[in-house]
């Protein structure tokens, strides 16, 4: 598949440049962590990927301190309008990431955001310590919301845990810390507020919704790990509500995501308070989806008489970044 398949040019005269926690971005469309394998894409598309990179910043697949093999197969189940994944955080571990992946990701033409997840506060601290000092890294995403590992969600669902995590990691770096929120809570506001009070620079929302699927032949759970996380258009309305709640509860910039497939979807997230958006599941179908969504968003802004992202975030009542 060509990286530009199905992508039409953006309209002239719409300024999509924006800012996220101090990072200057060419446009507001990022990737959702774990949904675009840039290292594999570089192998397939070569320098063409760097020339037409679909995102304005790249968020890595989440890494942990120790290497992990991930969950037992099967790891995926497709629903009529969504995807359940039970990947289980396979990764090379901190040392392997720094040695093998970081040098390749550093060649991408956009700021690099490294997603990290610890199974304790000390592990989060080790990850922040190990990653934040590297000049190739522009910012970190704290993944406190993985639904696919035991205890993965605990920090992101408890205000006290969130506050304690921020107390532990905030002093370790001046680089932007983006907290990825879970939708698997009754209310998104309190944890979002705890992240802000603890010194987070931005939020991203949402991670996947806990979900399961039944094997039609055996009547038993289909996924090897029993359950997983739902993404795709099925979760978009839930994600919009969670982003709206986090926007009402904090002043932090928010990267909104959850089932974004079109520029119109992206505008919806901006309308409820996101200052950037991320494309996730849609990139599995179409690796150029980020570029298409960006160009469609420009047309959508033009349609509602907005000439820039600055105008868009101002008109929807929240600034694109902290001033
Ligand atoms: O690797 C995964 O199974 C995974 C992660 Br880390 C996450 O944050 N969200 C998700 O749906 N899957």
């Amino acid at each position: 598949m060509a990286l530009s398949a199905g992508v039409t040019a953006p309209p002239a005269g719409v300024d999509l440049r924006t800012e996220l926690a101090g990072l200057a971005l060419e446009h507001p469309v990022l990737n959702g962590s774990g949904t675009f394998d840039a290292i594999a894409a570089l192998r397939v598309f070569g320098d063409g990927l760097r020339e037409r990179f679909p995102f304005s910043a790249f968020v890595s697949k989440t890494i942990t301190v120790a290497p992990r093999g991930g969950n037992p197969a099967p790891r995926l189940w497709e629903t009529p309008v969504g995807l359940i994944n039970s990947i289980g955080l396979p990764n090379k571990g901190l040392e392997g990431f720094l040695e093998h992946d970081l040098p390749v990701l550093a060649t991408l033409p956009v700021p690099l955001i490294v997603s990290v997840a610890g199974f304790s506060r000390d592990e989060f601290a080790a990850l922040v310590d190990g990653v934040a000092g590297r000049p190739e890294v522009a910012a970190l995403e704290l993944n406190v919301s993985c639904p696919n590992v035991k205890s993965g969600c605990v920090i992101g669902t408890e205000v006290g845990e969130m506050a304690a995590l921020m107390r532990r990691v905030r002093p370790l770096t001046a680089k932007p810390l983006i907290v990825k929120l879970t939708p698997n809570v009754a209310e998104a506001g309190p944890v979002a507020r705890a992240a802000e009070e603890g010194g987070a620079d931005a939020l991203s929302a949402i991670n996947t919704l806990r979900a399961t699927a039944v094997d039609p032949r055996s009547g038993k759970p289909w996924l090897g790990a029993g359950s997983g996380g739902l993404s795709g258009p099925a979760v978009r309305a839930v994600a919009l509500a969670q982003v709206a709640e986090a926007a009402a509860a904090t002043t932090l910039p928010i990267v909104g995501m959850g089932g974004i497939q079109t520029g119109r979807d992206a505008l919806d997230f901006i309308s409820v308070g996101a200052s950037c958006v991320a494309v996730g599941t849609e990139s599995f179908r179409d690796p150029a989806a980020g570029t298409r969504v960006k160009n469609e968003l420009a047309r959508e802004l033009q349609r509602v008489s907005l000439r820039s992202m600055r105008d868009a975030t101002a008109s929807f009542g929240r600034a694109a970044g902290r001033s």
Side-chain angles (χ1 to χ4, degrees):
M1 182 188 290
L3 203 56
S4 54
V7 175
T8 52
V14 179
D15 182 1
L16 287 179
R17 286 174 303 167
T18 189
E19 192 228 339
L20 175 68
L23 307 182
L25 303 178
E26 282 300 308
H27 60 82
V29 183
L30 286 67
N31 65 298
S33 170
T35 60
F36 188 92
D37 185 341
I39 294 175
L42 278 171
R43 279 197 293 271
V44 174
F45 299 113
D47 276 341
L49 180 72
R50 294 191 184 88
E51 283 152 26
R52 287 188 292 279
F53 198 68
F55 310 108
S56 61
F58 181 72
V59 186
S60 76
K61 169 77 183 156
T62 303
I63 61 164
T64 51
V65 172
R68 289 176 56 86
N71 284 343
R75 291 174 169 182
L76 293 175
W77 174 268
E78 211 174 331
T79 80
V81 282
L83 181 70
I84 305 178
N85 87 80
S86 170
I87 307 298
L89 258 169
N91 76 99
K92 299 185 176 106
L94 175 59
E95 273 180 34
F97 173 81
L98 293 176
E99 189 180 341
H100 300 291
D101 291 356
L102 184 59
V104 184
L105 297 178
T107 69
L108 297 175
V110 296
L112 174 63
I113 300 172
V114 177
S115 171
V116 299
F119 293 96
S120 65
R121 290 197 282 278
D122 283 346
E123 282 200 359
F124 265 104
L127 287 157
V128 172
D129 232 7
V131 168
R134 300 295 291 251
E136 307 93 321
V137 177
L140 285 85
E141 182 172 80
L142 304 177
N143 184 353
V144 295
S145 49
C146 176
N148 293 335
V149 286
K150 281 198 185 68
S151 83
C153 254
V154 170
I155 293 175
T157 56
E158 291 177 14
V159 169
E161 288 289 332
M162 189 72 242
L165 176 66
M166 293 311 298
R167 274 198 301 278
R168 183 78 171 81
V169 299
R170 183 66 280 181
L172 301 177
T173 180
K175 285 194 177 159
L177 294 176
I178 304 167
V179 173
K180 182 144 189 190
L181 300 177
T182 176
N184 299 309
V185 285
E187 288 181 298
V191 172
R193 214 163 17 241
E196 179 172 40
E197 286 166 5
D201 300 282
L203 302 170
S204 52
I206 59 173
N207 208 319
T208 52
L209 275 157
R210 199 178 308 110
T212 196
V214 176
D215 181 341
R217 282 164 306 184
S218 68
K220 300 211 164 78
W222 168 263
L223 296 163
S227 68
L230 179 66
S231 63
V235 309
R236 194 185 309 129
V238 176
L240 280 170
Q242 297 261 333
V243 168
E245 255 184 74
T250 72
T251 61
L252 293 176
I254 301 171
V255 183
M257 72 193 87
I260 293 178
Q261 294 181 297
T262 67
R264 177 57 204 253
D265 299 337
L267 183 61
D268 286 351
F269 276 84
I270 292 164
S271 306
V272 299
S275 48
C276 287
V277 295
V279 172
T281 308
E282 184 68 1
S283 293
F284 292 124
R285 277 200 324 164
D286 171 11
T291 306
R292 181 175 52 74
V293 167
K294 177 208 41 160
N295 293 348
E296 289 173 1
L297 173 63
R299 278 194 288 280
E300 288 296 325
L301 292 176
Q302 203 173 46
R303 187 179 58 80
V304 294
S305 303
L306 292 166
R307 298 186 60 80
S308 66
M309 272 303 294
R310 181 178 288 269
D311 287 352
T313 47
S315 109
F316 296 119
R318 294 183 95 234
R322 270 175 159 175
S323 51

